[in-house]
């Protein structure tokens, strides 16, 4: 048996224990994890600094360094997120439906954990704590495989969490970490049939595509976020500028950041210079179509957009800009280039907003609000394990309920089938 299979086997054994664990004990373990993260902050930050130094030497971009970086506030925020889960209802053991058959059988549909959740992700050490905590709360063991860029941070975080849950009587192997960060370990994890019940990739387009195309275990596809802001001809210009700035600049390296700005030609001459100036003040480079470039001549320097810009998830201080002549053209552009993640219209016409929500096929469709709200915490789900852009079995921010399945419990009094 390989080292990875041995680790997965230990996690699977722990999953059987965790599935039968009462809510109180799970919550006690979560409180212990939060306490351990805060107590271990110095150790975690020292490990993170080692990762950051390696990343700088390897030329990692500033936006990706921001993803990787931890500080006291971020560690405390991780602990807060773990504690917040304790306030949420336990998603396991909920009776989802109950009905009787004519033959007297009583059939109940009851929520149960998925089992062992595997997660392959990149340079975001906060995912380590978030994913482990949400899996624990939902009764699932987790096998984590982060990127090499964050291996020191991830190891320190997992060590804190494992020690914490052991103090509450749960197996340390409820949380497993793959420390081999080679491509071989990633590919092997995709084929852990019999050990993983589901595999969730979190990262860039290349990682997600590799998992979806090569995994033999069930996969929930979390999305690349080629998200759009469409400024309709009736939009409030100041609102459009504020929403676009927030959606792009507040944290450009995350999947719910906006990547393309579409502006209706009927408002472009007035709106685009205002929005562009605000974006430029935030350090954003604009890749513009010819019409947008002409409007912005003398306002700011831009880069001529190419076909690839409409397809790009920049994850950086860059944004594509296109003028469209109609609502239908905006929706068609989103349909062609969007990734079914998060899309927004800024409009003063409620009918246009409702039509946008009806016609745009995405996990989250906004009217007059930043795409940055596509987040488990912002939706009130607590920590999330990812944003699903597929339609089975979960879509959008995946919280506790999305990490459960169900089974049927049937009670009879001697019935046999004729």
């Amino acid at each position: 048996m390989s080292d990875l299979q041995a680790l997965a086997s230990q996690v699977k054994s722990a999953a059987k224990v965790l599935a039968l664990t009462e809510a109180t004990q799970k919550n006690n373990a979560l409180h212990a994890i939060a306490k351990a993260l805060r107590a271990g902050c110095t150790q975690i930050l020292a490990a993170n600094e080692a990762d950051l130094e390696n990343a700088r030497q390897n030329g990692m971009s500033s936006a990706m360094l921001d993803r990787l970086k931890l500080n006291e506030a971020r560690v405390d925020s991780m602990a807060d997120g773990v504690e917040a889960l304790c306030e949420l209802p336990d998603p396991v053991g909920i009776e989802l439906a109950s009905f009787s058959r004519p033959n007297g059988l009583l059939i109940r549909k009851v929520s149960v954990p998925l089992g062992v959740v595997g997660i392959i992700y990149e340079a975001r050490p906060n995912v380590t704590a978030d994913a482990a905590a949400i899996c624990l709360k939902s009764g699932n063991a987790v096998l984590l495989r982060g990127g090499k860029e964050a291996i020191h941070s991830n190891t320190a975080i997992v060590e804190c969490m494992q020690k914490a849950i052991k103090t509450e009587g749960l197996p340390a192997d409820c949380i497993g970490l793959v420390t081999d960060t080679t491509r071989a370990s990633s590919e092997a994890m995709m084929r852990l049939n019999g050990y993983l019940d589901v595999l969730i990739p979190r990262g860039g387009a290349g990682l997600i595509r590799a998992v979806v195309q090569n995994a033999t275990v069930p996969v929930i596809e979390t999305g690349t976020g080629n998200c759009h802001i469409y400024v309709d001809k009736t939009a409030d210009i100041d609102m459009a500028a504020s929403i676009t700035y927030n959606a792009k600049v507040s944290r450009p390296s995350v999947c719910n950041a906006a990547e393309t700005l579409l502006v209706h030609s009927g408002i472009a001459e007035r709106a685009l210079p205002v929005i562009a100036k605000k974006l430029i003040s935030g350090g954003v480079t604009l890749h513009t179509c010819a019409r947008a470039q002409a409007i912005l001549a003398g306002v700011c320097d831009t880069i001529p957009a190419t076909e690839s810009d409409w397809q790009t998830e920049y994850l950086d201080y860059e944004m594509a800009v296109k003028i469209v002549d109609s609502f239908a053209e905006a929706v068609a552009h989103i349909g062609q280039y969007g990734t079914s993640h998060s899309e927004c219209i800024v409009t003063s016409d409620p009918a246009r907003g409702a039509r946008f929500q009806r016609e745009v096929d995405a996990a989250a469709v906004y009217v007059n609000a930043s795409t940055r709200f596509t987040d488990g915490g912002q939706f009130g789900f607590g920590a999330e394990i990812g944003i699903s852009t597929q339609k089975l079995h979960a879509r959008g921010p995946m919280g506790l309920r999305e990490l459960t399945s169900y089974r049927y419990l049937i009670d009879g009094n001697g019935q046999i089938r004729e």
Side-chain angles (χ1 to χ4, degrees):
M1 179 180 286
S2 70
D3 291 344
L4 179 58
Q5 285 178 316
L7 174 61
S9 180
Q10 293 166 355
V11 175
K12 183 175 180 178
S13 295
K16 296 175 182 178
V17 176
L18 189 56
L20 301 176
T21 301
E22 296 293 332
T24 299
Q25 188 177 2
K26 290 188 290 186
N27 286 339
N28 288 343
L30 291 170
H31 282 301
I33 286 174
K35 183 178 179 180
L37 289 173
R38 293 191 178 101
C41 184
T42 300
Q43 168 196 347
I44 292 169
L45 294 185
N48 183 245
E49 183 54 42
D51 288 329
L52 287 168
E53 181 57 31
N54 289 336
R56 294 186 195 104
Q57 292 180 6
N58 290 323
M60 181 179 281
S61 71
S62 60
M64 295 306 290
L65 281 169
D66 178 64
R67 272 191 167 196
L68 177 60
K69 181 178 177 60
L70 294 176
N71 52 36
E72 286 189 19
R74 288 187 177 181
V75 173
D76 195 52
S77 179
M78 286 162 49
D80 288 343
V82 174
E83 287 180 328
L85 287 170
C86 300
E87 305 303 318
L88 298 176
D90 193 305
V92 178
I94 297 173
E95 189 173 285
L96 304 172
S98 177
F99 52 94
S100 296
R101 298 295 297 147
N103 61 5
L105 288 178
L106 173 63
I107 302 176
R108 291 175 293 137
K109 182 180 181 182
V110 178
S111 61
V112 296
L114 293 173
V116 179
V117 177
I119 306 173
I120 297 179
Y121 55 108
E122 294 176 333
R124 291 185 66 182
N126 65 295
V127 172
T128 304
D130 289 350
I134 196 171
C135 284
L136 192 154
K137 174 75 177 190
S138 56
N140 297 289
V142 64
L143 184 61
L144 301 162
R145 194 276 186 193
K148 63 181 183 297
E149 301 86 356
I151 185 59
H152 296 97
S153 306
N154 292 339
T155 300
I157 291 168
V158 168
E159 286 176 354
C160 285
M161 292 190 294
Q162 287 178 330
K163 290 176 183 177
I165 63 176
K166 282 182 70 176
T167 65
E168 297 301 325
L170 290 177
D173 291 324
C174 287
I175 304 169
L177 177 68
V178 179
T179 55
D180 178 355
T181 59
T182 64
R183 176 172 292 187
S185 74
S186 178
E187 292 174 349
M189 194 167 167
M190 298 177 202
R191 298 188 294 272
L192 278 177
N193 297 78
Y195 299 97
L196 294 185
D197 293 285
V198 65
L199 180 60
I200 302 173
R202 287 190 60 171
L207 169 65
I208 294 168
R209 183 168 54 250
V211 172
V212 170
Q213 293 177 351
N214 297 307
T216 57
V217 298
V219 173
I220 297 178
E221 182 177 355
T222 61
T224 51
N226 190 10
C227 307
H228 299 73
I229 305 291
Y230 167 50
V231 180
D232 191 37
K233 63 182 179 181
T234 67
D236 178 290
I237 292 174
D238 289 338
M239 179 189 290
S242 176
I243 287 173
T244 305
Y245 182 88
N246 179 264
K248 176 75 267 184
V249 177
S250 64
R251 200 165 183 193
S253 63
V254 294
C255 62
N256 57 24
E259 304 292 10
T260 298
L261 172 66
L262 304 174
V263 184
H264 194 288
S265 58
I267 199 174
E269 292 280 355
R270 293 178 291 122
L272 189 53
V274 175
I275 299 171
K277 285 178 182 178
K278 193 168 183 68
L279 289 170
I280 293 296
S281 74
V284 178
T285 298
L286 302 178
H287 301 249
T288 55
C289 71
R291 295 166 73 186
Q293 190 172 23
I295 290 172
L296 293 175
V299 176
C300 62
D301 293 330
T302 65
I303 298 173
T306 64
E307 176 67 17
S308 65
D309 285 300
W310 313 130
Q311 305 168 15
T312 299
E313 183 187 26
Y314 294 108
L315 300 175
D316 208 338
Y317 291 94
E318 299 183 73
M319 193 171 202
V321 182
K322 182 178 177 65
I323 306 298
V324 295
D325 289 319
S326 67
F327 176 96
E329 185 182 349
V331 171
H333 181 99
I334 292 169
Q336 180 176 355
Y337 297 106
T339 53
S340 299
H341 193 295
S342 300
E343 308 293 355
C344 166
I345 182 174
V346 184
T347 182
S348 296
D349 183 347
R352 301 272 274 195
R355 181 183 170 194
F356 187 82
Q357 290 181 319
R358 185 172 63 250
E359 295 185 14
V360 170
D361 184 12
V365 186
Y366 293 85
V367 176
N368 297 332
S370 170
T371 57
R372 288 282 286 111
F373 286 102
T374 306
D375 174 272
Q378 295 297 317
F379 277 26
F381 301 160
E384 70 176 42
I385 205 158
I387 310 294
S388 171
T389 55
Q390 65 181 42
K391 298 180 182 180
L392 294 175
H393 82 114
R395 198 175 195 195
M398 292 185 291
L400 295 173
R401 290 293 293 271
E402 287 71 34
L403 285 181
T404 63
S405 182
Y406 54 83
R407 58 178 174 169
Y408 290 99
L409 306 179
I410 303 96
D411 293 312
N413 54 7
Q415 289 90 338
I416 60 172
R417 184 169 177 173
E418 297 297 334

